[in-house]
Amino acid sequence: MYDSHIHLAQYRDVEMMDILSQVEGVIAVATDLASSQRLLDLKRRYDISITAGFHPEQTLLSDAQLNELVDWIRDNRSALSAIGEIGLPQYLRREGKVENEQVYIHLLETLIHLAGELELPVVLHAVYADAAIALQLLDQYNVHGHFHWFKATDDLINEVIKAGHFISVTPDILWNTKTRRVAELVPLEQLMIETDGPWPHTGFDKCDIHGQLSAIIDEVAVIKQMTRNKVMEQIRYNTRSFYQLEAHDENR
Ligand SMILES: [Zn+2]
């Protein structure tokens, strides 16, 4: 199994080694330039796939910082499996902390444009109505998107599916009706699984990645009325083809 979205740089070294022993592979996702650099260092030591980007739910980058990130991504293109995580500040906005939406959209557009130019997919934090803006930009720059921990209206979920993008679900599929709805609507061929670790999912240790992924697979199998093996194999295939991964030990 692959964890298609984990913030590996937020774990301690001993925890990382434990996590990497539990799975076939991970997409280790960055939240800013510092974590992108840290992931590149980790990639030199561990067999991991990494991304570089800027998480939207934090204080915005200045133009100079954005240019620095863009230059860094260009310089390290060959080490990257995607640009991300990028997106729009759904939760900051709800807290009334977004003063100028256009600045966030400009940042997102800059990085999706870059992804198109570098022929990389993007990891998106774009839930609910934000997905519509992301979809338009993906279409404009001809970029393939992974909508991570996705939630939206049925109409928007269906638009993401129709445009051929991928969607991942976390262990909150066990209790969250919105995530269960996503799993119902998304064809198995466009689904991935993730922990978003070290996010604290109720009932799981943040280092129990195998347990979390297994629980998601079990639940998807129930929702889709398919065998566990069929679900696991298809999701494995999806992750490997979306992120263009090399073969690893299949038994983990
Ligand atoms: Zn994340």
Side-chain angles (χ1 to χ4, degrees):
M1 287 188 293
Y2 287 89
D3 189 339
S4 73
H5 188 109
I6 181 169
H7 295 283
L8 198 66
Q10 293 175 22
Y11 288 90
R12 291 181 295 132
D13 267 346
V14 49
E15 293 173 330
M16 278 179 215
M17 283 188 275
D18 173 21
I19 288 166
L20 294 173
S21 74
Q22 298 173 35
V23 291
E24 186 176 355
V26 298
I27 310 301
V29 181
T31 54
D32 56 14
L33 179 55
S35 68
S36 304
Q37 287 165 330
R38 176 125 198 269
L39 288 173
L40 184 61
D41 286 342
L42 289 173
K43 189 175 168 59
R44 295 192 176 111
R45 287 193 278 143
Y46 302 117
D47 185 11
I48 59 174
S49 303
I50 65 167
T51 75
F54 185 79
H55 197 298
E57 305 275 4
Q58 58 186 330
T59 308
L60 265 175
L61 294 175
S62 65
D63 285 347
Q65 287 169 319
L66 176 57
N67 289 338
E68 196 185 353
L69 177 63
V70 166
D71 288 345
W72 192 90
I73 290 172
R74 281 186 199 285
D75 290 346
N76 295 286
R77 159 69 181 86
S78 62
L80 301 175
S81 295
I83 291 180
E85 123 175 45
I86 59 176
L88 292 167
Q90 177 72 215
Y91 301 103
L92 279 185
R93 191 187 303 116
R94 288 185 195 189
E95 291 168 19
K97 291 179 181 161
V98 172
E99 285 171 22
N100 186 348
E101 189 77 31
Q102 285 309 314
V103 186
Y104 285 89
I105 295 174
H106 170 71
L107 175 65
L108 178 61
E109 178 166 7
T110 302
L111 293 173
I112 289 181
H113 186 176
L114 180 65
E117 187 193 317
L118 300 179
E119 297 185 348
L120 283 168
V122 293
V123 185
L124 289 163
H125 171 97
V127 293
Y128 303 110
D130 291 342
I133 298 169
L135 270 175
Q136 192 267 320
L137 291 170
L138 293 175
D139 183 55
Q140 184 177 342
Y141 294 103
N142 197 22
V143 170
H144 208 192
H146 169 185
F147 286 77
H148 113 88
W149 201 339
F150 192 53
K151 303 175 196 87
T153 59
D154 283 8
D155 283 353
L156 262 175
I157 296 170
N158 285 326
E159 276 189 51
V160 170
I161 295 166
K162 203 170 73 189
H165 302 296
F166 281 53
I167 291 174
S168 60
V169 292
T170 73
D172 87 342
I173 193 173
L174 298 178
W175 56 268
N176 190 328
T177 51
K178 293 179 200 135
T179 299
R180 298 178 70 83
R181 183 63 181 154
V182 168
E184 280 170 16
L185 291 176
V186 178
L188 188 61
E189 291 71 22
Q190 282 167 267
L191 184 64
M192 293 192 273
I193 56 173
E194 57 152 316
T195 64
D196 203 18
W199 184 274
H201 292 288
T202 311
F204 294 98
D205 186 278
K206 67 176 182 172
C207 294
D208 180 15
I209 301 303
H210 190 274
Q212 294 186 41
L213 297 177
S214 290
I216 305 172
I217 297 268
D218 285 341
E219 207 55 33
V220 171
V222 169
I223 291 169
K224 296 238 174 259
Q225 300 188 305
M226 292 177 186
T227 66
R228 187 177 199 284
N229 250 3
K230 163 75 185 156
V231 169
M232 197 160 64
E233 277 311 305
Q234 182 65 49
I235 286 178
R236 174 176 183 270
Y237 175 83
N238 298 345
T239 312
R240 290 163 54 91
S241 58
F242 185 91
Y243 285 106
Q244 302 194 349
L245 305 180
E246 305 286 319
H248 287 81
D249 178 0
E250 277 190 44
N251 296 319
R252 282 184 282 155

